[in-house]
Amino acid sequence: MTAGTNMTDIESDASKEKVAAEPAEETPMKAEEKRPGDAEEKNGKGDSKGTIQEQVPVAVEEPEFVHPEGGWGWVVMLAAMWCNGAVFGIQNAFGILFMSLLKEFGSPEDDDLRFKTAWVGSLSMGMIFFCSPIVSVFTDLLGCRVTAVGGAAVGLVGLLASSFVTSLGPIPALVILGHYFKKRLGLVNGIVTAGSSAFTVTLPFLLSGLLEKVGLQNTMRVLSILMFILMLAGLTYTPLLPKPVSSNKQGSRCPSMSKLFNVNIWKSLGYRIWAFGIPAALYGYFVPYVHLMKHVEERFGEDANKEVLLMCIGVTSGVGRLIFGRVADYVQGVNKVYLQVSSFMVIGVMSMMIPLCHVFGGLIAVCLLMGLFDGCFICIMAPIAFELVGSQNVSQAIGFLLGMMSVPMTVGPPIAGFLRDRLGSYDVAFYLAGIPPIIGGAVLCLIPWVEARRIRRAQEEAAKDGTQEQML
């Protein structure tokens, strides 16, 4: 991508006129390098050609933006890693908080206890994704740094406020990496998203100890410290990519509608399939993170080492993000989608296997595999978005996708809790949770075929245009 390619139609037409005026073997750049005197001697028509050059200057192409592939980018990567870990690590460890919420606010006479309590975690996760389209617009308007710091401040206030509740009644980190990395984007995304795995491994044990010693409210206040550090981490998000040429009139402070709502991303059929296939696969995705701890307690007793399962998911998820993030760098184009397809298939099958595990060791094996391919799904989200819509459109592409993901991420756990309250076990809930990933993965298989057809048509049209120009 070069800033010099954003020429206006007038400049483009002027360049064509200059090419027509020059001999066939010369280019506009060569004509620009010639001295005015030489030009006058060659055309022999006074200063007419020199006048054209003075009135209509040729747009000089700026050198292509080169990603640093390191330097300050490594600091940004660590900050983004903390962002990913602090936000999603808390969500992934919600199973520990879920059991504490059941004891704190629950009543044995409440037939819908798990259904109501599951809304706490699912709404928390759902709002993260629901606000993503708005955040992506803010990222385009205000930049990654301001948006990240503001979002961390909102998270800090939310966690502090939730620590005073006495009853149950009442996308910048992924975008900024594209400014610093291109060849290593898959690997860096893998490292950043591994932050949530690191937090998923450590937080269950930390939360268990805090809940036992200081209680639920003070535990929430301790977690708010993570959000405060996240505010400091957001200050490192210094953008590097050149800004696209604005279509706003001079002096206008209001951003254009195309800036607020980027319709270009929806012109890609591949992106539309991706934006609807991913949410379809996620109706059961968050169910194990919320209900697995309680399921283990009911099946293996209260003394079962439940935290080990979340640790297994977290460890292998981190390994998967590093491995598949690096693998994605070597997979050409949108064929990266096949990695997500395989991850959804495995996650779906593993969710169905949870009720069949009557030995704790079998459940550990299931969680190890589920975590490995969960890491695969997460780490290649941004690389696929860059392939489908390009770097200038990626923020809103990811934002709107995450926004559409909010619905399945929100409704899945409460439905699973409702089934448990009515049927007396989580078996049916986990069986049903495995079906959407398999269906969604099958839908995503269409994307490489659609993109290959689009590229083939573009090449045919380019060849046809070239033939017509030669005939003219």
Side-chain angles (χ1 to χ4, degrees), residues 12 43 94 97 111 135 160 212 257 295 312 346 367 387 413 424 434:
S12 179
N43 61 19
F94 180 76
L97 296 174
D111 294 333
V135 173
L160 280 176
E212 184 178 347
M257 185 59 66
H295 168 72
C312 291
V346 174
C367 290
E387 293 287 349

Side-chain angles (χ1 to χ4, degrees), residues 34 41 91 102-103 159 162 195 204 248 341 406 415:
K34 294 169 60 178
E41 291 175 5
Q91 297 296 328
L102 290 175
K103 296 175 183 177
L159 273 175
S162 63
N248 287 354
V341 172
S406 65
I415 291 175

Side-chain angles (χ1 to χ4, degrees), residues 27-343:
T27 63
M29 290 296 295
K30 288 182 179 179
E32 189 180 55
E33 292 171 357
K34 294 169 60 178
R35 291 177 299 176
D38 296 340
E40 292 175 4
E41 291 175 5
K42 187 162 187 178
N43 61 19
K45 293 182 180 180
D47 58 353
S48 60
K49 186 172 180 180
T51 304
I52 295 176
Q53 287 184 335
E54 290 174 1
Q55 292 177 349
V56 189
V58 178
V60 180
E61 289 191 359
E62 295 182 6
E64 183 179 359
F65 175 77
V66 179
H67 296 75
E69 302 293 348
W72 184 252
W74 298 118
V75 178
V76 175
M77 183 198 72
L78 293 176
M81 184 177 179
W82 183 274
C83 171
N84 196 281
V87 174
F88 291 103
I90 294 173
Q91 297 296 328
N92 293 345
F94 180 76
I96 303 295
L97 296 174
F98 178 73
M99 294 189 297
S100 180
L101 289 169
L102 290 175
K103 296 175 183 177
E104 184 81 15
F105 304 117
S107 170
E109 291 80 21
D110 191 352
D111 294 333
D112 296 323
L113 176 60
R114 291 162 189 82
F115 171 71
K116 295 177 181 177
T117 310
W119 278 108
V120 177
S122 62
L123 283 174
S124 175
M125 178 66 87
M127 284 305 297
I128 292 175
F129 291 97
F130 179 76
C131 294
S132 295
I134 303 172
V135 173
S136 67
V137 173
F138 285 156
T139 301
D140 286 343
L141 295 178
L142 305 177
C144 294
R145 179 189 294 173
V146 175
T147 305
V149 174
V154 172
L156 172 62
V157 173
L159 273 175
L160 280 176
S162 63
S163 68
F164 297 99
V165 172
T166 57
S167 68
L168 293 179
I171 352 143
L174 294 178
V175 176
I176 192 64
L177 295 175
H179 290 243
Y180 288 87
F181 299 93
K182 184 176 182 180
K183 295 179 181 178
R184 299 174 178 172
L185 185 60
L187 173 63
V188 171
N189 270 283
I191 296 174
V192 168
T193 54
S196 65
S197 302
F199 277 70
T200 303
V201 171
T202 56
L203 276 181
F205 298 98
L206 175 63
L207 291 177
S208 297
L210 287 173
L211 289 169
E212 184 178 347
K213 293 180 180 179
V214 301
L216 178 63
Q217 284 75 20
N218 288 325
T219 299
M220 301 294 287
R221 291 161 192 160
V222 172
L223 291 178
S224 66
I225 298 175
L226 303 180
M227 294 295 107
F228 176 73
I229 299 175
L230 178 54
M231 291 176 60
L232 302 180
L235 295 175
T236 67
Y237 292 179
T238 305
L240 292 183
L241 285 175
K243 293 182 179 180
V245 177
S246 175
S247 59
N248 287 354
K249 294 181 179 178
Q250 248 183 339
S252 176
R253 294 184 179 180
C254 298
S256 63
M257 185 59 66
S258 61
K259 185 77 171 178
L260 294 176
F261 185 78
N262 191 346
V263 296
N264 291 329
I265 60 177
W266 299 104
K267 294 178 181 178
S268 169
L269 178 58
Y271 175 77
R272 295 201 299 270
I273 296 174
W274 193 55
F276 287 98
I278 294 288
L282 295 180
Y283 277 92
Y285 174 82
F286 198 43
V287 170
Y289 289 101
V290 174
H291 295 287
L292 181 59
M293 299 295 99
K294 192 62 181 176
H295 168 72
V296 172
E297 185 179 275
E298 293 177 355
R299 175 159 294 187
F300 299 100
E302 294 185 2
D303 296 332
N305 197 355
K306 303 176 289 293
E307 293 84 358
V308 170
L309 297 177
L310 280 181
M311 184 184 72
C312 291
I313 293 177
V315 169
T316 54
S317 181
V319 173
R321 295 170 198 220
L322 294 175
I323 293 175
F324 289 105
R326 188 57 175 165
V327 169
D329 290 334
Y330 295 100
V331 178
Q332 297 295 323
V334 293
N335 289 332
K336 296 179 179 67
V337 171
Y338 288 128
L339 294 175
Q340 277 194 330
V341 172
S342 62
S343 66

Side-chain angles (χ1 to χ4, degrees), residues 344-405:
F344 280 135
M345 296 295 181
V346 174
I347 289 173
V349 173
M350 291 300 105
S351 295
M352 295 179 175
M353 291 291 291
I354 290 176
L356 302 178
C357 295
H358 296 279
V359 179
F360 194 76
L363 203 53
I364 289 178
V366 167
C367 290
L368 289 173
L369 276 173
M370 181 178 290
L372 182 67
F373 285 91
D374 167 77
C376 174
F377 155 64
I378 294 294
C379 74
I380 56 177
M381 290 279 288
I384 291 176
F386 274 93
E387 293 287 349
L388 290 175
V389 300
S391 60
Q392 295 293 353
N393 302 317
V394 73
S395 60
Q396 291 201 28
I398 295 177
F400 281 106
L401 173 65
L402 297 180
M404 297 178 70
M405 287 166 56

